Amino acid sequence: FTTEELSALCAGMESVINENATSPSEFLLGPPGFRSGYIAKEKCHKIVTFQRYLDFAKSNKVNVIPELKDTGEPELEFFLNQTLGRDIYWLGDKLASELLRSGYVAQSEVKEASDWEKFGDNGKLAIMQTFDHRIARHWAKQHDDLAIIEFLWKTVRAENDTKDSCETVLDCGVDEILLELSQSGVQFFAPPIWHFLASDSHKVVASENVKRYRKIISQNNNSNSLFPQLASWSLERSGCDQGGGGPGESRGVFG
């Protein structure tokens, strides 16, 4: 599709689908329980290019946290390779370069808390998110010239788990990966929020997981460094239980 063709479409949230539908109207059942579709229903919000979105955000002094999605999916890798002669790293470089071209600061400019506050107040902060440790590592190799990096994962892993135990590159927060990425210069490490919490005599306390994560990523830190830090995502993913398989899942959908 061309950009002109795509710009004729209206954007909307992902939808639960009816695989047995016999007509278009029966196929889309609406957003999953942890989403709301009211904004898309209010009016047609045209699909825009990433660069146009960044230009709009920058002109309004809005900090951005774009996520490079689906780089571990075979269909995307096949499309990039067979159609464009490219790979996932080219896609990662494209996201990073467009952020800098729009005027968001490189991570080399964010050294202290005062830098964070200064650039944040002026809408110049960008954080590149990925669940793919290969992309996080690729970005980190060029760290001084790119925006801030955040690595995310979903599943709690045992201390002795290795990356070979991961079912997918899009969910591999094992200790060896976290240590490697922190030593490479990744700034934020973000498991889902339920990794952080435990109970003790009816009180919510920090979990053993978060203590372990903090110990791992701090091995390459010093007292004067702002990074690395722990972050998290997202209460929106822990909404109504409609038959999902665990925290963050609803109707079997996870994004």
Side-chain angles (χ1 to χ4, degrees):
F1 298 100
T2 66
T3 301
E4 183 180 1
E5 289 171 331
L6 290 173
S7 66
L9 302 176
C10 303
M13 301 305 298
E14 72 264 44
S15 179
V16 177
I17 62 172
N18 173 16
E19 296 181 351
N20 298 316
T22 58
S23 67
S25 61
E26 295 176 348
F27 181 66
L28 298 180
L29 302 178
F34 55 83
R35 292 294 201 191
S36 174
Y38 76 92
I39 294 178
K41 290 181 179 179
E42 184 180 20
K43 66 177 183 179
C44 176
H45 298 268
K46 297 292 187 180
I47 293 178
V48 299
T49 65
F50 183 52
Q51 189 61 59
R52 185 176 176 186
Y53 155 76
L54 291 178
D55 291 342
F56 178 80
K58 191 68 173 58
S59 67
N60 287 277
K61 295 186 176 182
V62 174
N63 302 306
V64 296
I65 315 180
E67 179 187 342
L68 186 62
K69 300 181 73 70
D70 298 332
T71 50
E73 298 297 338
E75 295 85 356
L76 176 60
E77 296 198 55
F78 179 85
F79 169 77
L80 290 173
N81 181 263
Q82 298 298 318
T83 305
L84 302 179
R86 306 287 189 174
D87 58 21
I88 59 172
Y89 305 109
W90 169 82
L91 196 60
D93 290 341
K94 187 169 180 60
L95 181 147
S97 64
E98 291 190 2
L99 285 169
L100 296 184
R101 186 162 58 246
S102 296
Y104 289 96
V105 297
Q107 57 182 263
S108 57
E109 300 182 59
V110 187
K111 296 295 187 182
E112 301 176 354
S114 58
D115 299 325
W116 180 268
E117 294 174 3
K118 176 183 67 176
F119 291 126
D121 288 344
N122 288 282
K124 293 185 176 181
L125 286 178
I127 300 175
M128 304 186 295
Q129 294 183 316
T130 179
F131 278 83
D132 190 334
H133 61 86
R134 301 170 302 174
I135 293 293
R137 187 182 300 106
H138 175 74
W139 282 337
K141 288 180 180 179
Q142 311 166 62
H143 60 90
D144 283 343
D145 298 324
L146 301 185
I148 293 165
I149 304 165
E150 182 174 30
F151 173 63
L152 306 92
W153 69 100
K154 176 189 174 186
T155 302
V156 176
R157 303 287 179 179
E159 287 188 60
N160 59 349
D161 280 353
T162 68
K163 59 185 178 183
D164 294 333
S165 67
C166 298
E167 294 81 9
T168 169
V169 296
L170 299 180
D171 183 20
C172 197
V174 296
D175 291 9
E176 65 173 310
I177 293 286
L178 302 185
L179 179 60
E180 178 188 352
L181 293 181
S182 66
Q183 291 175 339
S184 298
V186 172
Q187 287 83 17
F188 284 110
F189 292 81
I193 197 168
W194 62 86
H195 283 222
F196 285 75
L197 306 176
S199 61
D200 181 14
S201 301
H202 303 289
K203 295 180 179 179
V204 176
V205 297
S207 68
E208 292 301 316
N209 296 318
V210 72
K211 296 175 185 177
R212 189 171 97 241
Y213 299 151
R214 187 177 290 120
K215 181 179 179 180
I216 293 169
I217 69 171
S218 65
Q219 292 183 39
N220 196 49
N221 197 4
N222 61 68
S223 58
N224 296 319
S225 177
L226 180 60
F227 301 113
Q229 293 191 28
L230 288 175
S232 191
W233 58 273
S234 160
L235 288 173
E236 182 186 18
R237 298 290 183 176
S238 301
C240 302
D241 182 6
Q242 298 184 13
E249 297 186 51
S250 181
R251 297 188 187 172
V253 177
F254 175 80

